Amino acid sequence: QVQLVESGGGLVQARASLRLSCANSRRTVSDGAFSDFAMGWFRQASGKEREFIAGISRYGGTTMYADSVKGRFTISRDYNNAMVYLQMNNLKPEDTAVYYCAAERTQSTEAVPTTNSYDFWGQGTQVTVSS
């Protein structure tokens, strides 16, 4: 059973920064290693569909970003602690949403899925940016 737990959300003013964290825990050997998973961040604003924000491949060699956050957000992963981070700088009111961490087990070492097809999802953390 793979569990994802996000943290780090909150209420900030425009142009502020936040760092979201996602802990990827696996209980049994059959759950695999942290490096078996491509990791992604998605967000869902009120009344809108969930959208891909950022993703990172199994070994971190490939990252992808939505155009709306490119240059402001950075995804990274820590293999020692099985953590994924989303550094968010220069936040804007339109970044307000619930942010979700996701994991997809994949054979590819470079693939970064950008659809909602990820295997596992966290419960989400709220980010609110005031103007």
Side-chain angles (χ1 to χ4, degrees):
Q1 182 78 17
V2 176
Q3 291 187 328
L4 304 176
V5 179
E6 304 98 334
S7 60
L11 171 63
V12 297
Q13 292 188 329
R15 294 179 294 281
S17 296
L18 275 177
R19 188 177 80 156
L20 303 183
S21 300
C22 172
N24 178 323
S25 63
R26 289 141 281 108
R27 294 174 181 259
T28 68
V29 173
S30 63
D31 290 336
F34 179 56
S35 59
D36 291 342
F37 297 87
M39 301 296 298
W41 285 96
F42 290 71
R43 69 185 181 189
Q44 186 168 20
S46 180
K48 296 187 177 181
E49 294 188 352
R50 188 162 54 189
E51 63 174 345
F52 170 83
I53 293 301
I56 188 166
S57 59
R58 286 175 57 189
Y59 296 107
T62 303
T63 56
M64 294 188 66
Y65 298 92
D67 288 343
S68 59
V69 305
K70 201 172 292 184
R72 298 188 298 124
F73 291 10
T74 303
I75 188 171
S76 60
R77 60 192 298 168
D78 173 358
Y79 294 90
N80 289 332
N81 297 299
M83 298 287 293
V84 178
Y85 302 102
L86 185 67
Q87 178 66 43
M88 305 186 295
N89 298 328
N90 190 22
L91 283 161
K92 304 176 181 180
E94 51 263 43
D95 294 318
T96 295
V98 177
Y99 283 71
Y100 297 91
C101 175
E104 179 165 316
R105 192 191 305 271
T106 175
Q107 294 294 325
S108 171
T109 58
E110 296 304 324
V112 178
T114 60
T115 67
N116 284 310
S117 63
Y118 279 69
D119 299 316
F120 303 98
W121 294 83
Q123 82 289 348
T125 185
Q126 176 70 46
V127 172
T128 303
V129 184
S130 63
S131 58

